């Protein structure tokens, strides 16, 4: 009887634990407003097949919404290979979702903190690279494809995004990180037709120091160009002009600018606009069209909450129907 009682007690305890865990999971997945989500590098896919919005970013999680107002999540959607260079628990940064030829692709930065590839000016550089996963559905799961690497193992790369250029070929556009490059760059590399790997080598598009608006102080307190390139995202204006938003810093303020290609292709040359494109403290943006046809920009801001440094998604109205991208007022769903 004592054994039966013990088994019943253990069974009840296990049942209660499972129920409590499920309850906490369901509680976490209640619908919440956008400004209640803590998320860096927000990227939103408006999927017409499912009439849903899907939001990703740093952390490898996904949120779903029917109207941009309330979001359900977070959901784990990235399924990496623990035997790959990423290791068993890679950090995931700046994930983007891109539909292409009937499938959905997950462009993200993966970091294996257990592997060190270099030390430059006292900075230890971890194994980090832009990579692509694939799914048949916008909410995943997203799984590895054929090629184990897309970019060189000895280069830290990040914030890969997707673009099909005028030559009809798909490309990844990404940052070569300033920690090793010292003057961070934005580069391109051709992708295989099914995006399962890369072709050839990366090509330089521009350097951080070419920006007239991003600034920092040197050791003597003198102004110099900032070294950070972050969050490239491409678009074409109503006149066919190719543009790229990207983010750096003005001293200690996270800021986003824009550049335009004189050739109308990724090869440039890229001419940087003189002034930032968004208000101070907003950056790492992307553009998407809502299900009812309105164009918006998603970005994140920085906020100190009781000593904790967090990032929060925001939306802005945008207009690029003419020759340039114009960022309008904040958009509240």
């Amino acid at each position: 009887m004592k054994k039966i009682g013990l088994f019943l007690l253990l069974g009840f305890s296990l049942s209660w634990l499972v129920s409590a865990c499920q309850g906490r999971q369901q509680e976490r997945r209640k619908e919440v407003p956008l400004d209640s989500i803590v998320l860096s590098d927000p990227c939103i896919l408006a999927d017409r097949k499912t009439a849903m919005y899907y939001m990703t970013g740093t952390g490898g999680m996904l949120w779903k919404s029917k109207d941009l107002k309330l979001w359900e999540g977070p959901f784990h959607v990235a399924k990496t290979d623990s035997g790959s260079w990423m290791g068993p628990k890679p950090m995931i940064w700046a994930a983007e979702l891109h539909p292409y030829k009937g499938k959905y692709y997950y462009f993200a930065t993966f970091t294996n903190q257990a592997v060190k590839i270099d030390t430059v000016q006292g900075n230890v550089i971890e194994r980090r690279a832009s990579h692509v996963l694939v799914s048949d559905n916008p909410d995943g799961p997203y799984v590895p494809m054929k090629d184990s690497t897309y970019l060189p193992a000895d280069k830290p790369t990040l914030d890969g995004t997707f673009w099909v250029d005028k030559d009809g070929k798909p490309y990844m556009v990404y940052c070569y990180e300033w920690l090793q490059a010292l003057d961070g760059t934005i580069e391109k590399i051709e992708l295989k037709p099914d995006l399962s790997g890369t072709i050839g080598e990366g090509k330089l598009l521009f350097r951080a120091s070419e920006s007239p608006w991003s600034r920092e102080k040197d050791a003597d307190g003198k102004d110099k160009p900032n070294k950070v390139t972050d969050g490239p995202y491409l678009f074409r204006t109503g006149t066919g002009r190719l543009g790229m938003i990207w983010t750096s810093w003005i001293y200690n303020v996270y800021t986003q600018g824009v550049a335009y290609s004189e050739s109308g292709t990724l090869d440039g040359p890229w001419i940087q606009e003189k002034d930032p494109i968004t208000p101070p403290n907003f950056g790492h943006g992307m553009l998407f069209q809502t299900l009812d046809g309105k164009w918006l920009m998603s970005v994140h801001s920085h906020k100190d909450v009781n000593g904790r440094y967090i990032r929060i998604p925001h939306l802005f109205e945008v207009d690029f129907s003419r020759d340039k991208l114009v960022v309008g007022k904040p958009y509240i769903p």
Side-chain angles (χ1 to χ4, degrees):
M1 290 296 292
K2 288 182 179 179
K3 289 184 178 179
I4 293 174
L6 180 59
F7 288 146
L8 288 173
L9 180 60
L10 289 173
F12 172 79
S13 299
L14 181 59
S15 176
W16 177 87
L17 181 61
V18 171
S19 177
C21 289
Q22 289 175 340
R24 284 196 294 270
Q25 186 178 42
Q26 290 172 358
E27 184 179 354
R28 286 199 304 270
R29 289 180 179 174
K30 285 182 178 178
E31 290 187 326
V32 295
L34 184 66
D35 59 6
S36 294
I37 298 173
V38 176
L39 180 67
S40 302
D41 317 323
C43 179
I44 298 175
L45 168 66
D47 186 64
R48 299 193 180 280
K49 289 183 180 179
T50 57
M52 292 283 290
Y53 297 97
Y54 301 89
M55 181 169 65
T56 55
T58 287
M61 309 297 283
L62 178 138
W63 284 259
K64 307 176 188 179
S65 176
K66 296 178 181 179
D67 55 11
L68 295 176
K69 295 179 182 179
L70 296 174
W71 294 82
E72 182 187 4
F75 301 94
H76 290 276
V77 296
K79 308 295 182 182
T80 56
D81 178 4
S82 62
S84 73
W85 66 265
M86 298 179 190
K89 293 183 178 180
M91 297 174 65
I92 302 177
W93 296 353
E96 296 183 359
L97 303 182
H98 292 276
Y100 186 65
K101 295 186 175 180
K103 292 185 179 293
Y104 296 85
Y105 294 89
Y106 187 94
F107 282 65
T109 304
F110 299 88
T111 300
N112 185 342
Q113 293 182 290
V115 178
K116 317 301 180 186
I117 62 170
D118 202 356
T119 300
V120 179
Q121 296 185 352
N123 291 313
V124 177
I125 300 169
E126 299 163 343
R127 178 75 169 93
R128 174 164 40 254
S130 295
H131 200 87
V132 186
L133 308 179
V134 66
S135 177
D136 292 326
N137 304 296
D139 55 355
Y142 288 87
V143 299
M145 289 187 282
K146 181 180 178 181
D147 285 14
S148 58
T149 60
Y150 280 68
L151 294 162
D154 59 351
K155 287 180 65 173
T157 56
L158 68 158
D159 294 354
T161 190
F162 180 58
W163 187 251
V164 178
D165 213 1
K166 281 188 173 180
D167 59 8
K169 296 178 181 179
Y171 291 87
M172 179 194 290
V173 175
Y174 60 93
C175 301
Y176 174 25
E177 193 172 28
W178 68 272
L179 286 172
Q180 187 181 61
L182 299 182
D183 187 1
T185 70
I186 291 181
E187 305 182 3
K188 73 163 188 176
I189 192 166
E190 185 180 345
L191 293 168
K192 293 180 179 179
D194 62 356
L195 313 193
S196 64
T198 53
I199 299 172
E201 298 180 351
K203 178 182 177 181
L204 174 69
L205 302 185
F206 61 83
R207 302 179 186 276
S209 59
E210 295 175 36
S211 164
W213 53 265
S214 61
R215 311 299 297 170
E216 64 179 52
K217 298 285 188 182
D218 64 17
D220 298 323
K222 296 180 180 179
D223 269 15
K224 68 174 185 177
N226 197 280
K227 53 187 173 291
V228 175
T229 48
D230 189 65
Y233 197 86
L234 293 132
F235 64 95
R236 202 172 286 282
T237 70
T239 61
R241 196 178 187 194
L242 180 61
M244 183 196 304
I245 49 177
W246 66 284
T247 302
S248 190
W249 295 81
I250 300 178
Y251 308 117
N252 64 341
V253 179
Y254 198 59
T255 309
Q256 184 172 241
V258 63
Y260 293 97
S261 168
E262 286 199 327
S263 67
T265 72
L266 288 176
D267 289 329
W270 288 89
I271 308 301
Q272 307 291 330
E273 290 285 280
K274 179 182 177 182
D275 299 314
I277 194 74
T278 47
N281 194 39
F282 292 93
H284 202 113
M286 58 82 59
L287 306 172
F288 71 99
Q289 190 174 27
T290 65
L291 295 174
D292 59 3
K294 187 178 186 66
W295 280 98
L296 299 175
M297 173 187 286
S298 75
V299 292
H300 72 246
S301 68
H302 299 76
K303 188 176 182 180
D304 190 325
V305 179
N306 299 323
R308 184 186 172 209
Y309 188 64
I310 64 172
R311 295 177 175 181
I312 300 171
H314 298 268
L315 301 175
F316 282 88
E317 296 182 359
V318 291
D319 179 11
F320 51 99
S321 60
R322 297 182 182 178
D323 198 44
K324 287 188 176 184
L325 172 65
V326 178
V327 178
K329 63 184 180 180
Y331 178 79
I332 309 299

